Amino acid sequence: MAAHRDPDQALWQRAMRGVKPLRGRAAPPPGTQPPEPPQKPAGQPQVPAAPPLSARHSAGYDRANAERLKRGQHPIEARLDLHGLTQAEAHRSLAAFLGGSRAAGKRCVLVITGRGRAGGGVLKSAVPRWLAEPEFRPHILAIAAAQPRDGGSGALYVMLRRTRTG
């Protein structure tokens, strides 16, 4: 009877064939695999992923307002320009800006990320992901790419939720 081989191990060996370690580093022993990503503990409840943020699909936001946001017809009440910031600085600035804007009762704000070199800016791709994170999601009703006059693909309109007064 043939020995049982792990298909992942075989795939890993094929993928790593011909790969050389970086200068000054030792090669890992043959047959090793990269560490597996950590698993969530079984006792924690699974939180369903929230649907992606957009102007079209947002609970409590009607189609007419979604179209107005997309067309840039809501008045912009505050702007945040993230040009030149590191990701860490931009994340902190975004958190402070959204929290402060919402606390001040502002609804539509503009977040300028910039386009980056050749359209592949780090912040341009990171900011929409951040806005979908649990830290920011409760503040946001919808987002849409800005119109060219407001920054085009290098900026986002963000519609903030109303603050509930007790």
Side-chain angles (χ1 to χ4, degrees):
M1 186 169 182
H4 177 265
R5 285 195 66 186
D6 182 9
D8 290 337
Q9 182 67 31
L11 178 64
W12 177 251
Q13 291 301 322
R14 277 195 310 264
M16 293 296 103
R17 190 177 318 141
V19 173
K20 296 178 184 171
L22 295 172
R23 272 182 259 143
R25 296 204 180 164
T32 60
Q33 283 184 262
E36 292 197 21
Q39 300 291 326
K40 280 190 171 186
Q44 290 184 351
Q46 294 291 334
V47 178
L53 282 170
S54 73
R56 284 188 201 190
H57 305 98
S58 184
Y61 202 59
D62 62 49
R63 186 175 299 181
N65 273 322
E67 282 302 312
R68 288 184 66 214
L69 181 66
K70 188 174 152 185
R71 291 183 184 140
Q73 295 173 334
H74 285 285
I76 297 170
E77 300 175 78
R79 287 173 163 68
L80 173 67
D81 190 344
L82 300 173
H83 279 104
L85 299 181
T86 65
Q87 286 189 61
E89 292 167 337
H91 194 275
R92 282 191 302 272
S93 295
L94 184 63
F97 173 73
L98 293 177
S101 294
R102 187 167 180 221
K106 295 181 174 147
R107 294 296 311 274
C108 184
V109 298
L110 182 70
V111 177
I112 303 164
T113 62
R115 291 184 183 94
R117 293 192 177 138
V122 174
L123 295 179
K124 178 182 172 183
S125 61
V127 169
R129 281 194 323 266
W130 294 343
L131 293 174
E133 290 176 353
E135 175 185 359
F136 296 114
R137 192 66 188 265
H139 300 289
I140 299 168
L141 193 55
I143 64 171
Q147 292 293 309
R149 69 179 178 274
D150 293 320
S153 65
L156 293 168
Y157 298 124
V158 180
M159 183 60 68
L160 300 174
R161 293 184 186 278
R162 284 194 174 96
T163 343
R164 302 271 183 216
T165 53

